Structures are given as structure tokens and as C-alpha cells.
Amino acid sequence: MTEEKEEVKTFKELGICEQLLEACETLGWKNPTKIQVEALPHALEGKDMIGLAQTGSGKTGAFALPILQALLDSPQAFFACVLSPTRELAIQIAEQFEALGSGIGVRCAVLVGGVDMVQQAIALAKRPHIVVGTPGRLLDHLSNTKGFSLRPLKYLVLDEADRLLNEDFEKSIDEILNAIPRERRTYLFSATMTKKVKKLQRACLRNPVKIEAASKYSTVDTLKQQYRFVPAKYKDCYLVYILTVMAESTTMVFTRTCDSTQLLSLILRNLGLRAIPISGQMSQSKRLGALNKFKARECNILICTDVASRGLDIPAVDMVINYDIPSSSKDYIHRVGRTARAGRSGVAISLVNQYELEWYLQIEKLIGKKLPEFPAQEEEVLLLLERATEAKRISQMKIRESGGKRRRKAGGDDGEEEIERYLGNKNGKKSKKLKR
């Protein structure tokens, strides 16, 4: 059985129809990924699925292709709904559907927060085939948008299902499940399996096929992972050192809080590094503006919270730095999965201070290996201490000043005018305009 699967080389052999084969070719998808090889035959047979795969392994194609093929056989509005935990991931999934379905006239609607509901209601009135959204905004439309219903739905996909089942989304998911038909195909996709995913499996899947294209919690072989124990007071200095040594790399730096993204991006810019922040406190247009600048390499350092750790496919990421160690070790898997995607190599470096040791040890336990130490001479690193300290002082002062201005204006949504000016595009822009 395994040998047969290994012999499969093309989407055609997996049962994908001619129109979609052309779309795959146009997108440069030469051969299916492991999760696609495993998932597509079952999906095309009409089975429910739970797909566990490393992030960056082609999960979107694994559920988009069978849905589009089924849509071709029986075209109808509101054929499929895909739920995602973040706005950016929802937009990215919709773009993938549109790219794959461009030759067959697929219409998508994206329902996410931070965007005008009236515009979204107009898109829904045009009766799209695919609805992609975050749970809260989808529920808003189900409750308030006249004439919108998901009663005709044939397919439901929960992408990053483990995250969708935390307390932030669980109530919304339950209400959505009550508003859609029981007779449907359901796909759960995630890089990690949790008890809550198992609970949802019992609630809404019928004899699902479980596809595991990776070990339970793992990172790809092409990812070089390292750590460095650093005193908390020197952490900024080490970050600046690594970014200076790896100056040509495209890097994502993960922090624990939205405030840290603002502060670190200012510190780095004061030192002449091209950094830009993205966090949940920024408006949707600014988040997309920041992502687009990063993708276009106008800025090569993206400072982010875990809002950017799930599902975002930014192909050129060379390095991930964990400035703050995540308290949930599963979040580490998602963070470092931003690099070394689709067979490329990448580097992940975790800066661990004295207060984060326990969290770091949990990560090593989860991935099942001891990581090597990032090599650096501390004397060399500390040559940057004076400059880094001064940059931090200036940055904190700017944030305090802009905070005062913001209170006087009673406005501003990402809390930092300096960053707003740096983004340079108050309205933001999508990397690809979605068709109506």
C-alpha cells in the first residue's frame, strides 16, 4: 500500500480533473505534497477527513482541490465554508481558492473582522460558491445579514482546527455548527492534535479518515533549530546581534505581546534595520499593509505576535527568532513552521532567558530532541549593548509621546503614530484583489 502511494507522482493519477490540473500547472504545482497524496483520494471519494500535517505542507490544496472538483459536478451558491482563526489566513485561503478556480469562474466571499460589514453583505448577495471567514464575523452575518443562510452548504472546513477550538472561538463554532446542515462533508486540518479536536471529531464528523502526514508534533528536517540562554537584560542586544550577523535574511521575530512588537520594531529601526510590526491591535488594513511590505521585501524583518504564526505562507522567510518563548509549546511548532516551507531550508533561533527555561524544556520534550546552542561570543555581542540600550530609551520615549497624543485625539488603533507613518499606506492593500 505504501509503495503504491510513493509511486504516485502527479495530480492526474490522484484523480484531479483536467480543468484543475491546468490550474495546478499555472500555479507551479508540479507534484502533490505528502498530505495531498494521502488526502485527495479519500476526499474525492466523499469521505470526512482529519488531516494532521506539518505547517507549510500544502494543506490548503488538500481541501480546496476536492471541493472545487465537487463544485464542478454540481455548481451551486454557498457550496463550501472554510473557517480560519485569523483574518490573514482567511484571505490567503480565499486567494488560493480563486487561483485554483480561476478557469472555472469560482466566486469567493471573505468574512473577517476589521472590514466593513456592508461590503461583505453585498458580496454575499452575489451568492458566492465559497465563503471563507473567521468564526465571529461569519456568525455576525448569519445573525444580521438578511437573506444569508448556509442551509445549502455541502462542505465545511476547519483550518487550524486546534486553535479554532480554544475558548475564544468555541462558542461561535458551536453556533455555526447548529446553523448548517448535518448532511455535509467535513474536513478538519491542523498541524497539531488536541483533546478539543478529538471532541469536535465526535461531534460533527462521520466515520472520518485520519491522515497523518507527520508525527504528532514535529518540525521539518530542512529546519535548523538552535537556542541561546541569555540574561533577560541582554535579550535586546542578542536580537540585534543575530539580525546584524544575518543582515541579508528575511526574518520573523515572535514576541508575546502587541506592545512588544511596537517597541522592538522602533528599536530596530533606530538602529538602521528594516523592521515592521504586525499584531492583533492593528487595524486590518495596516496588518495587510505590513504583510505586503514584508512579502515585497521592502522590510526584511517582521515583528509579530502569534497572530502571524498560523498558516501564513510567506515563501521567502529565511529565519524565525523566538524573542519571547511561547508558554504553549505547540505554538513553537506553528511559529517555526513559518520558515523551511515546501522543501526549502530555514533557521529557527530561540532566545531563552532565566524566566523562560521551563517553557523551553517543554518545547524540547514535545519535539523529542535537544537543540544545539546558537554560537556567539558574548564579548562580541555586548559591544552592541550601549547602542541597543540607547535605541530602547529613545523608542520608549516616542511611544510615551505618541500615547499622549492618542489620548488627546481619542483615536488611533495600533497605538503608535511612528509605525503608522512607517507603514506609509493608511488604507493598506491586498496582495491580490478578490473577485466579486
Side-chain angles (χ1 to χ4, degrees), residues 391-408:
K392 186 171 188 175
R393 187 188 66 77
I394 293 167
S395 301
Q396 287 171 327
M397 192 170 67
K398 282 182 180 175
I399 286 175
R400 279 195 297 273
E401 284 171 7
S402 66
K405 286 175 191 170
R406 192 171 76 255
R407 280 191 294 276
R408 286 195 291 277

Side-chain angles (χ1 to χ4, degrees), residues 305-325:
T305 55
D306 283 308
V307 76
S309 71
R310 299 279 183 143
L312 294 186
D313 188 14
I314 306 167
V317 177
D318 304 312
M319 178 166 63
V320 165
I321 298 175
N322 287 303
Y323 175 83
D324 290 321
I325 301 300

Side-chain angles (χ1 to χ4, degrees), residues 56-71:
S57 60
K59 284 184 286 177
T60 307
F63 62 75
L65 286 168
I67 288 173
L68 291 172
Q69 189 145 316
L71 178 64

Side-chain angles (χ1 to χ4, degrees), residues 201 207 215 243 382 390:
Q201 168 189 338
N207 301 320
S215 59
L243 291 171
L382 295 183
E390 179 62 7

Side-chain angles (χ1 to χ4, degrees), residues 174-197:
D174 287 342
E175 289 185 43
I176 289 165
L177 289 174
N178 288 331
I180 62 176
R182 286 182 175 276
E183 289 296 324
R184 62 169 194 273
R185 296 275 67 82
T186 306
Y187 301 154
L188 302 190
F189 278 88
S190 185
T192 51
M193 184 74 165
T194 65
K195 287 175 186 171
K196 288 190 173 179
V197 173

Side-chain angles (χ1 to χ4, degrees), residues 284-295:
Q284 185 61 25
S285 61
K286 291 193 185 81
R287 280 158 68 171
L288 286 171
L291 264 183
N292 289 335
K293 282 181 178 290
F294 184 62
K295 285 181 177 179

Side-chain angles (χ1 to χ4, degrees), residues 223-230 238-239 241-243 245-246 249 251-254 318-326 332 335-336 339 346-352 360 371-376:
L223 175 65
K224 180 183 178 184
Q225 300 173 82
Q226 298 172 310
Y227 76 94
R228 181 75 187 204
F229 288 132
V230 300
Y238 269 89
L239 176 66
Y241 174 81
I242 294 167
L243 291 171
V245 168
M246 312 280 275
S249 296
T251 304
M252 293 177 77
V253 178
F254 282 96
D318 304 312
M319 178 166 63
V320 165
I321 298 175
N322 287 303
Y323 175 83
D324 290 321
I325 301 300
Y332 173 85
R335 287 182 180 188
V336 301
T339 186
V347 177
I349 301 169
S350 297
L351 298 176
V352 189
Y360 175 73
L371 300 183
E373 190 170 18
F374 173 75

